Amino acid sequence: MIRHVVMLRLRADADVDELHAVMAGLDALRAQIDGFTGFSHGPNRDMELKSSAWPHGFIADFADAAALARYAADPGHRALGARLVALCEGGGDGIMVYDLETSA
């Protein structure tokens, strides 16, 4: 399984409604992309005081690397990704991605 962890450094003036619309759109892709098995998002509560620069994030779970590749190539994902980049400080520089290979 691949756990796709994405942390966001949102612009101070980022539209919260747009953020929620993008998150809903990403979640909806689960029904369209084979092997996209889970999605969750929310504010980073930074309990260990180590990641305050990344106030929001999401996790997308994929059955395998091939499923993640399908997601990455999907036109709907690309369109939502462009909207997400526009919400982040520094555009793409405001997005941190980790792809963790884990046991299912």
Side-chain angles (χ1 to χ4, degrees):
M1 180 178 98
I2 303 294
R3 181 154 282 166
H4 182 67
V5 181
V6 180
M7 298 305 297
L8 308 170
R9 185 179 307 129
L10 300 169
R11 292 188 346 255
D13 64 342
D15 181 339
V16 174
D17 291 335
E18 172 69 353
L19 175 65
H20 290 295
V22 170
M23 294 297 115
L26 291 173
D27 188 26
L29 291 176
R30 286 186 302 132
Q32 301 170 24
I33 300 173
D34 186 44
F36 185 177
T37 61
F39 183 84
S40 58
H41 73 95
N44 175 15
R45 296 299 181 208
D46 190 25
M47 303 297 184
E48 295 185 18
L49 304 176
K50 293 184 177 187
S51 58
S52 63
W54 306 96
H56 197 89
F58 68 88
I59 298 170
D61 291 332
F62 298 91
D64 53 30
L68 176 57
R70 285 190 293 277
Y71 168 80
D74 182 80
H77 165 256
R78 290 178 178 256
L80 290 162
R83 290 168 60 188
L84 191 58
V85 165
L87 292 170
C88 291
E89 190 176 299
D93 290 339
I95 300 175
M96 177 72 65
V97 178
Y98 300 93
D99 292 314
L100 306 176
E101 187 171 13
T102 67
S103 59

